[in-house]
Amino acid sequence: MTTTWRHLPAPAREIAQAATEAVGAAQDRDAGAYQPAVERLAAADRAGLVLGGVVRLLLEEGHPDGLDGDDVRQVLERCVRSAAWRPDVDPHVLLVLLAGALGVYDPGDDDAPPDPAAIARHAPLLVADLLAATGRPLADYLSAAFAEVARTELHD
């Protein structure tokens, strides 16, 4: 990891490090490294919020004119195909991640909302897939997502 994240508070630093490891393992399709990184990510409080921000930023950059249903379906299908190396990939969880990042997911309307462990197992797969289209490092998106979370907390 080239970014040290020293400027972040310890909980945020843990999210950044775990996310970087998990996304890197997903990009490398390294099952041995992926599982411990995902477990570390699942244990990090508010990791889902940060990764949701990363997903939203990646979606906005990849679709500057907005997303329609076909765009979401294409992202979902591409991600499921690229994550085929993971036998436990669940398209429903990936769809929840996409819908959550877009602000259109209500867990109260879901008969089986994914738990934080499922989110942690799937978010790095989605982020890795979306990153492949940008050519930019994850650190840029993590920094932007942390700044957004800090801004939101400051105004709440």
Side-chain angles (χ1 to χ4, degrees):
M1 174 171 65
T2 58
T3 305
T4 62
W5 306 107
R6 284 182 237 255
H7 65 286
L8 294 174
R13 197 168 44 246
E14 176 62 18
I15 292 169
Q17 291 169 342
T20 300
E21 289 172 13
V23 170
Q27 290 169 323
D28 295 340
R29 295 185 171 153
D30 182 347
Y34 190 74
Q35 190 58 38
V38 165
E39 289 171 5
R40 186 174 168 197
L41 192 58
D45 188 36
R46 302 184 69 177
L49 176 66
V50 173
L51 288 174
V54 169
V55 169
R56 186 187 54 72
L57 291 165
L58 285 161
L59 289 170
E60 286 176 354
E61 184 172 316
H63 301 86
D65 296 328
L67 281 93
D68 62 18
D70 288 336
D71 295 326
V72 171
R73 183 175 31 260
Q74 288 174 356
V75 169
L76 181 62
E77 288 173 357
R78 188 185 67 228
C79 184
V80 169
R81 278 193 305 276
S82 71
W85 62 277
R86 293 286 309 164
D88 60 346
V89 70
D90 183 344
H92 174 73
V93 177
L94 292 169
L95 182 59
V96 165
L97 288 166
L98 285 168
L102 296 170
V104 296
Y105 176 71
D106 180 0
D109 294 339
D110 192 342
D111 292 336
D115 62 17
I119 297 295
R121 277 192 314 276
H122 288 77
L125 298 171
L126 181 56
V127 170
D129 182 70
L130 292 169
L131 276 171
T134 69
R136 288 180 49 201
L138 172 61
D140 293 351
Y141 297 97
L142 278 173
S143 294
F146 281 120
E148 192 172 284
V149 168
R151 217 176 9 261
T152 301
E153 288 179 351
L154 183 65
H155 294 300
D156 282 349

